[in-house]
């Protein structure tokens, strides 16, 4: 994740896809960690939720990739609906055991589509928020998750 965001500074490759490379790997891993911690096993429901989360990122990228407003809006809506589905599935998987962690995850992850809307899909306009938000939503999530683990 850190190397991917370092690309914002050094521009090693196409910066506009940088966040998506990170998110398609890291967010399903966070879903798996949350599900495993809540259920003490890697259930099929958790695996499906992780795949759905990858779908959130992929459809978000497709919304970014297409220059037509129609396709951008269509994929943003699909991604948002998948995102709400993922939040619902995560709630079912682990809210009983980790209510504060679930709430933290939900609130911080909502920041990503808000940044997308604010920048009109041009995430390079939001380099600082896209470095700060992952630190909060991933690293602090991991610290809380580790601390809460039994």
């Amino acid at each position: 994740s850190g190397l991917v965001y370092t690309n914002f500074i050094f521009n090693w490759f196409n910066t506009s896809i940088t966040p998506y490379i990170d998110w398609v790997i890291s967010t399903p891993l966070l879903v798996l960690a949350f599900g495993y911690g809540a259920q003490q096993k890697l259930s099929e429901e958790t695996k499906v939720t992780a795949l759905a989360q990858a779908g959130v990122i992929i459809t978000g990228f497709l919304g970014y990739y297409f220059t037509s407003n129609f396709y951008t809006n269509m994929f943003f809506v699909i991604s948002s609906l998948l995102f709400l589905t993922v939040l619902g599935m995560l709630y079912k998987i682990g809210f009983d055991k980790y209510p504060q962690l679930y709430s933290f995850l939900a609130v911080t992850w909502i920041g990503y589509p808000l940044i997308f809307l604010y920048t009109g899909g041009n995430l390079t306009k939001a380099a600082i928020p896209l470095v700060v938000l992952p630190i909060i939503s991933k690293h602090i999530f991991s610290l809380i998750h580790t601390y809460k683990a039994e």
Side-chain angles (χ1 to χ4, degrees):
S1 181
L3 288 175
V4 172
Y5 287 98
T6 303
N7 184 54
F8 276 131
I9 298 167
F10 296 109
N11 203 21
W12 294 318
F13 55 90
N14 184 349
T15 306
S16 58
I17 65 170
T18 299
Y20 298 101
I21 293 169
D22 171 36
W23 299 337
V24 79
I25 296 167
S26 62
T27 59
L29 290 174
L30 290 173
V31 168
L32 293 172
F34 181 83
Y36 184 80
Q39 298 174 327
Q40 299 301 306
K41 64 179 182 174
L42 199 53
S43 69
E44 288 301 313
E45 186 176 29
T46 298
K47 292 175 189 175
V48 168
T49 306
L51 286 173
Q53 177 56 32
V56 170
I57 304 307
I58 292 166
T59 54
F61 173 73
L62 290 172
Y64 160 79
Y65 180 76
F66 288 103
T67 56
S68 161
N69 282 339
F70 172 77
Y71 289 113
T72 297
N73 292 334
M74 179 184 74
F75 282 114
F76 181 78
V77 168
I78 293 168
S79 183
S80 297
L81 291 173
L82 274 172
F83 176 64
L84 293 173
T85 302
V86 166
L87 288 180
M89 294 169 82
L90 286 173
Y91 183 88
K92 184 178 173 192
I93 289 169
F95 184 80
D96 290 341
K97 183 164 183 179
Y98 293 133
Q100 295 90 359
L101 188 60
Y102 169 82
S103 299
F104 178 84
L105 184 72
V107 167
T108 57
W109 279 15
I110 287 170
Y112 291 97
L114 292 177
I115 290 172
F116 183 88
L117 288 172
Y118 176 74
T119 64
N122 185 352
L123 298 180
T124 58
K125 291 181 180 177
I128 293 175
L130 286 176
V131 171
V132 173
L133 189 56
I135 290 170
I136 295 169
S137 69
K138 294 177 192 169
H139 304 296
I140 294 178
F141 167 86
S142 297
L143 288 172
I144 295 169
H145 188 267
T146 301
Y147 176 74
K148 293 271 185 192
E150 295 177 16

